[in-house]
Amino acid sequence: MKFSEMNIEKSVLDSLVEIGYENPTEIQKETIPLIKEGHDVIGQSETGSGKTAAFGIPLVERIEKNGKIQALVLAPTRELSEQISRELMKFSKFKKLNISCIYGGVSIEPQISNLRHSEIVVGTPGRILDHIQRRTLDLRNIKIFVLDETDKMLDMGFIDDIEDIVRNVPKERQTLLFSATMPENIFRLRDRFTRNVKRIKTQTKVREDLLEQFYFDIDQNKKFSLLVHVIKKEEPNLSIIFCNTRVEAENVSKNLRRNKINAEVLHGGISQYRRNQIIEEFHKGKIEILVATDVAARGLDIKNVSHVFNYSIPKNSEDYINRVGRTARAGKSGKAISFLAKIDHQAFQEILNKYRPKVEKLETPRFPDLPFMKREEYRRFNRGFHPRRNHRFRSY
Ligand code: AMP
């Protein structure tokens, strides 16, 4: 199917021709017709799947150029808000719609004057709410309300802000909710904000031809030593080591650094600002190894990740697919290597049953035994040997 066969308004179609979009992606194919019919939609697909156009094309079609704000799009970060605005501007090039991009950390005055003649508003929940409270954002004419990367917004604690915002949006509206994953609390939003919602889910695709998957059977207390051995042998370009918990991720990254392996940790307990910095450095290759939890690394779209290591196996089998899908991207090959101790077997079996991936067992090589220090032991260690550096560890 092509965009030209999807009954899209001419001005929007012309803009797609100009951008060079010819064929819709999976999520676009599924959601655009439903949105055009006026349904509320929950779209679940990962970052980079073309979600912005999935809601952006039918959204721009529905908006009239009349100086009234008719669409509100909420996004978790300033970067994503800007990205969405840019994309919507392209789709509305021939309709000449005005789009305001609203986020915190910058002066509010220019935003106030832009809002006076916009048809579409894109922004982060905190600053949007600020404008509502100042009465500088009139939402009475909203026809379409979009939540993008909803799971990330919830993860960042925006739930109350979102609820406050929705109270100001007319009940007669179309609600579109996009998310890479569907944690429990999304269902609360669905039940309260949507009517007769259609749920679309596109599969996270793993390129089995480009991704090689392996596993080791290994005692829990030898995992770390084997991990270090494998890293040294494989010499990954960029790699992500996945852990099931924040504490585990912290412990693994600290122990790697003790062994002179430069790793950075990424989990939900780290501030959004710092997380963005880390991801940026990883993008540029300044950091070569990320030790991450599922939430923090979800949807990461970085081309040169050559290896994914599963230090522990996720309880939710979908997370496994999301993890290994961080490598073998953009036509490049990749390896996923899982470290299975006894406690991981059940979760791994569920993954095998559900997805039937091609996974090969590797013989455990001989490797040097390394000590693995945990949180408490670090405290003692640092108190004993580096009293002045104690403060660095107090944040636990
Ligand atoms: P998104 O998931 O919306 O961030 O989109 C991911 C990337 O895919 C962006 O660079 C888009 O410009 C691009 N893209 C989205 N839809 C299409 C399409 N139908 N054809 C070609 N590229 C697309």
Side-chain angles (χ1 to χ4, degrees), residues 28-219:
Q28 293 162 2
K29 241 186 266 174
E30 303 261 0
T31 54
I32 291 175
L34 289 173
I35 300 173
K36 281 170 73 71
E37 283 169 20
H39 291 287
D40 283 0
V41 171
I42 294 185
Q44 185 183 354
S45 78
E46 65 167 354
T47 313
S49 57
K51 275 187 287 130
T52 319
F55 66 80
I57 292 170
L59 181 148
V60 166
E61 270 194 308
R62 264 196 83 185
I63 305 304
E64 294 162 41
K65 173 135 184 92
N66 60 9
K68 290 182 183 156
I69 297 167
Q70 301 150 67
L72 175 63
V73 182
L74 297 185
T77 62
R78 163 191 179 146
E79 290 74 24
L80 185 62
S81 303
E82 282 185 339
Q83 209 175 299
I84 296 169
S85 299
R86 276 199 300 272
E87 196 81 341
L88 296 182
M89 265 176 218
K90 290 187 208 157
F91 304 148
S92 65
K93 181 175 173 197
F94 299 110
K95 279 187 105 167
K96 299 192 171 53
L97 301 177
N98 285 314
I99 299 166
S100 279
C101 191
I102 302 290
Y103 46 76
V106 294
S107 164
I108 203 161
E109 300 304 328
Q111 295 180 350
I112 294 175
S113 74
N114 276 341
L115 282 171
R116 289 201 192 104
H117 46 80
S118 288
E119 281 91 16
I120 300 172
V121 175
V122 182
T124 51
R127 183 55 76 88
I128 294 279
L129 197 57
D130 196 356
H131 279 283
I132 292 175
Q133 282 154 359
R134 288 166 184 253
R135 299 183 183 282
T136 46
L137 172 57
D138 179 1
L139 298 177
R140 283 174 302 179
N141 298 299
I142 294 289
K143 296 194 258 188
I144 301 192
F145 175 56
V146 185
L147 294 165
D148 195 15
E149 297 209 357
T150 311
D151 49 353
K152 204 161 176 185
M153 285 201 277
L154 295 177
D155 186 40
M156 287 166 72
F158 282 135
I159 179 94
D160 293 337
D161 286 355
I162 294 173
E163 296 203 354
D164 287 347
I165 293 167
V166 176
R167 253 178 244 123
N168 291 276
V169 179
K171 285 210 167 56
E172 281 305 318
R173 59 157 196 265
Q174 188 174 17
T175 304
L176 311 174
L177 198 152
F178 284 82
S179 196
T181 58
M182 286 285 152
E184 270 303 302
N185 47 3
I186 283 199
F187 295 106
R188 178 171 145 202
L189 293 188
R190 176 199 63 187
D191 294 341
R192 300 187 50 189
F193 300 167
T194 64
R195 286 185 209 162
N196 299 327
V197 68
K198 304 273 183 205
R199 182 167 167 192
I200 297 295
K201 183 175 172 190
T202 55
Q203 284 290 332
T204 301
K205 290 215 176 63
V206 171
R207 289 283 304 266
E208 288 236 315
D209 53 330
L210 294 176
L211 175 70
E212 292 181 285
Q213 299 176 71
F214 303 100
Y215 72 92
F216 286 109
D217 262 330
I218 185 77
D219 284 351

Side-chain angles (χ1 to χ4, degrees), residues 243-299:
C243 294
N244 282 2
T245 65
R246 292 175 186 185
V247 171
E248 188 177 61
E250 289 278 357
N251 283 335
V252 169
S253 74
K254 286 204 163 72
N255 280 282
L256 285 173
R257 288 202 291 269
R258 279 190 71 220
N259 284 279
K260 312 239 173 330
I261 295 175
N262 190 12
E264 198 57 68
V265 67
L266 192 75
H267 59 61
I270 295 168
S271 75
Q272 184 63 38
Y273 178 76
R274 180 67 191 133
R275 274 197 257 169
N276 289 346
Q277 264 184 341
I278 293 169
I279 290 169
E280 183 69 24
E281 285 171 23
F282 189 57
H283 233 302
K284 291 182 181 154
K286 286 185 190 159
I287 298 171
E288 291 176 352
I289 300 180
L290 272 190
V291 186
T293 56
D294 292 286
V295 171
R298 185 185 300 151

